[in-house]
Amino acid sequence: MIQISLELIIALIGAITGVISLIWHIIKERPNLVLESVSFKWENKHNKEAFNGQWIRVKITLRNLSKLSTTLEDVYVKIGNQVLTPDYFIPSDIDISGYSSQSLGYYFTFDDKEFKEFFDKEGRIELGILIIHTFGKIDKRGKTSFKTGLFTLK
């Protein structure tokens, strides 16, 4: 009887450690995509003669912190009251390998009247990014007066 109890205890300990190990590996092995930064630059804020209309440059830096790759499926950019889907941003899905980073950039152009409508009564504009990838989404937003012509979300 003591031998049966000892075997049962050893089996239970083995089953518990096996389940804990499996859960730990599943959590650890998931792709972990993080947004390093997204910057919005009002290109002609200080040099109106250089551009026709209003230009905003968006630069996104992503980092995959796990060894598994992930795929960017969609990117949406919010500028003022518009949600834009930059077709040239991701002509097809982009894979980000494990332990690597990826930078994306795009320009958005607006006429002067349309651009003025993006600012609210306090003179602030809402800027944001939504990235949908294989294992989730990243959603960051913020408001700025754009006084310096540069706004960064982290």
Side-chain angles (χ1 to χ4, degrees), residues 87-143:
D87 296 329
Y88 300 107
F89 225 152
I90 302 178
S92 61
D93 295 339
I94 290 180
D95 289 326
I96 301 178
S97 302
Y99 302 120
S100 68
S101 61
Q102 179 79 39
S103 290
L104 307 169
Y106 194 73
Y107 284 90
F108 293 96
T109 59
F110 308 97
D111 63 40
D112 292 334
K113 182 182 176 199
E114 178 183 26
F115 191 71
K116 281 183 181 178
E117 292 173 0
F118 292 154
F119 290 86
D120 62 18
K121 293 174 185 170
E122 291 85 35
R124 296 169 58 85
I125 186 172
E126 185 175 1
L127 301 169
I129 193 88
L130 172 63
I131 300 168
I132 299 172
H133 60 96
T134 308
F135 296 96
K137 68 179 183 175
I138 298 171
D139 188 5
K140 297 281 183 182
R141 298 174 198 199
K143 282 192 167 188

Side-chain angles (χ1 to χ4, degrees), residues 28-151:
K28 186 179 176 206
E29 297 301 319
R30 264 187 89 187
N32 185 10
L33 188 66
V34 294
L35 178 68
E36 290 283 312
S37 69
V38 56
S39 61
F40 297 84
K41 185 175 182 187
W42 185 359
E43 288 293 342
N44 53 337
K45 165 78 173 167
H46 302 293
N47 188 2
K48 305 265 188 231
E49 296 82 36
F51 299 96
N52 200 5
Q54 302 297 327
W55 293 59
I56 292 184
R57 178 172 56 103
V58 180
K59 182 180 179 198
I60 301 168
T61 305
L62 299 162
R63 183 173 307 277
N64 188 350
L65 299 176
S66 75
K67 70 179 181 179
L68 298 176
S69 67
T70 189
T71 302
L72 300 184
E73 296 169 0
D74 284 309
V75 174
Y76 300 97
V77 177
K78 180 171 179 57
I79 298 176
N81 57 0
Q82 291 188 9
V83 176
L84 308 165
T85 55
D87 296 329
Y88 300 107
F89 225 152
I90 302 178
S92 61
D93 295 339
I94 290 180
D95 289 326
I96 301 178
S97 302
Y99 302 120
S100 68
S101 61
Q102 179 79 39
S103 290
L104 307 169
Y106 194 73
Y107 284 90
F108 293 96
T109 59
F110 308 97
D111 63 40
D112 292 334
K113 182 182 176 199
E114 178 183 26
F115 191 71
K116 281 183 181 178
E117 292 173 0
F118 292 154
F119 290 86
D120 62 18
K121 293 174 185 170
E122 291 85 35
R124 296 169 58 85
I125 186 172
E126 185 175 1
L127 301 169
I129 193 88
L130 172 63
I131 300 168
I132 299 172
H133 60 96
T134 308
F135 296 96
K137 68 179 183 175
I138 298 171
D139 188 5
K140 297 281 183 182
R141 298 174 198 199
K143 282 192 167 188
T144 180
S145 64
F146 245 166
K147 286 183 181 177
T148 62
L150 182 67
F151 182 66

